[in-house]
Every structure is written in C-alpha cells, then in structure tokens.
Amino acid sequence: SDYMEVTTDHIKPVSKEITVMPVKYAGEDPILIAKLKKNQELDFHMIARKGIGKEHSKWSPVSSVVMQHEPEIKFLDRANGIDKLTLNQKRDFVKSCPTKVYRLDETRKTVEIENPLNCTYCEECLITLDGFGLDKNKIIEIAPKKNRFLFKVESTGSMKADQIVLDAFRELKMKLIDVLGKIEQDNKTLVINR
C-alpha cells in the first residue's frame, strides 16, 4: 500500500529478559507511533522509564479532567409559573437553552426537564424568562446540588479512565494516612514536651 502505520503492536523486545511492553487492552486499537510511506523505514531504540505525573507531565495518564457541580433544576409552582406561558413562549424557552436541558411535550403542551446534567449554568433560560417580563425567581430554580459534582477524566490511552480514578483515590488515601500519622506523632511530642 502507499503507507504503513507503525503501532505499539510492532514493538519487539531485543532480548527474552525484557518483559516491559506497551499496554494493550482487549478490543482497543494499538497506539500509533508513526506513518511510513513506501520504502521508508524506522530504526530506533526505546527505553522504558517509570515516573509519576508530579515529576513530569509525560508520565501522566490523564489528558484532561473536568469538574462541574451537578445541577438541580426545579420548576416552582408550575400552575402559576411555566405552565402559564403561551405555547410560543414555551417553545422560545426550550430553544433558549444551548445544551438542550428542556423539552416541549407537544401533546400535553408542557415543558419538561429532559437532560438536567447538560446544564452549564449559562442562565440563557433565565434571560428568556426576563424577556417575557416574568419574575424568573418564581418560575424556576437552578442551583448546584450540595456535595455532588460531575467529574470527567480523559485518558491518554496508557490506562483506562476508571482505573486512573481508582488509583488516584488509593494514592490520596495513602497520603492522608501519612498526614494523620504525622499529626499523631506531633501530638505525642507536644504532650511529652509539656
């Protein structure tokens, strides 16, 4: 063919004693290293070094992390609030949300909260209600849920995202145990020195 993809599947150890190989997950494609055109070749020597992301980002298995408070959306007093809007106002209200949190049930002519986790707190829906000359605070309440948030981890491919999160919690737990041990040791020292 015109080109060949060189992937982690093509890596071969130089001796039988070497057991370190790239991670390969079942059902996933290997990691692309390079693309070669016809009559090109690669000759390189690789060294595997273990490190942690704290030392250098090249050892971090995470490409991005996003945290957002989980939204809680409630229609207040539906009969005197959202249900009092005209059908066109309801359509405009639903369209005002760029992330499609709301849906208009055309048969019942009601606005429903369909995707509350899509809410980004942009307040476009509140601005629309203001445009209708209504008191938005009597119609809808949008607030973050207490002690709940969405946490998204994107992996570089060297580890699965769920494994990264579990390992991070394990590491955090070990660090907290270490801190508690040091606090207890300091408390013993303070009591002795009194």
Side-chain angles (χ1 to χ4, degrees):
S1 65
D2 292 338
Y3 74 94
M4 175 188 169
E5 291 185 348
V6 180
T7 69
T8 49
D9 280 350
H10 294 102
I11 297 172
K12 304 288 182 242
V14 290
S15 70
K16 292 192 189 303
E17 296 88 44
I18 296 174
T19 58
V20 177
M21 291 297 291
V23 177
K24 172 90 180 197
Y25 295 110
E28 289 190 13
D29 293 333
I31 298 168
L32 178 68
I33 297 170
K35 289 184 181 182
L36 299 178
K37 288 185 179 179
K38 204 169 192 168
N39 298 322
Q40 287 183 322
E41 62 180 54
L42 281 177
D43 181 22
F44 58 92
H45 180 76
M46 297 186 311
I47 299 171
R49 286 196 181 93
K50 186 175 180 182
I52 59 173
K54 186 171 92 172
E55 296 166 16
H56 195 284
S57 62
K58 68 183 170 191
W59 283 302
S60 177
V62 177
S63 61
S64 70
V65 175
V66 178
M67 189 209 83
Q68 173 189 334
H69 286 281
E70 187 177 329
E72 185 169 30
I73 305 168
K74 290 187 229 167
F75 288 126
L76 310 170
D77 189 10
R78 284 193 75 111
N80 294 314
I82 199 79
D83 292 345
K84 267 187 131 178
L85 298 176
T86 67
L87 188 58
N88 282 336
Q89 286 176 324
K90 289 176 185 176
R91 283 189 184 115
D92 289 344
F93 175 80
V94 169
K95 285 180 192 172
S96 71
C97 181
T99 58
K100 311 229 182 306
V101 171
Y102 311 102
R103 175 182 61 86
L104 180 64
D105 185 336
E106 291 284 346
T107 33
R108 293 182 12 211
K109 296 181 178 30
T110 58
V111 176
E112 305 299 328
I113 301 166
E114 188 169 59
N115 301 305
L117 296 181
N118 287 359
C119 183
T120 59
Y121 304 101
C122 69
E123 298 189 357
E124 288 296 322
C125 57
L126 301 179
I127 293 167
T128 301
L129 291 174
D130 276 342
F132 298 152
L134 302 169
D135 184 358
K136 62 187 177 219
N137 297 324
K138 291 182 179 177
I139 296 176
I140 192 168
E141 182 181 299
I142 303 171
K145 284 185 183 176
K146 201 167 190 145
N147 300 323
R148 298 216 14 127
F149 56 90
L150 306 173
F151 192 71
K152 296 176 187 174
V153 176
E154 187 177 318
S155 170
T156 59
S158 61
M159 290 175 72
K160 291 192 176 268
D162 56 349
Q163 188 61 49
I164 292 169
V165 173
L166 290 173
D167 287 352
F169 280 128
R170 197 173 302 112
E171 186 69 25
L172 180 62
K173 181 180 175 183
M174 296 308 295
K175 288 180 179 185
L176 290 173
I177 288 169
D178 185 45
V179 168
L180 284 173
K182 288 180 180 174
I183 289 172
E184 286 175 10
Q185 186 62 40
D186 286 349
N187 284 342
K188 289 177 186 174
T189 306
L190 287 171
V191 171
I192 293 168
N193 290 338
R194 281 189 178 179

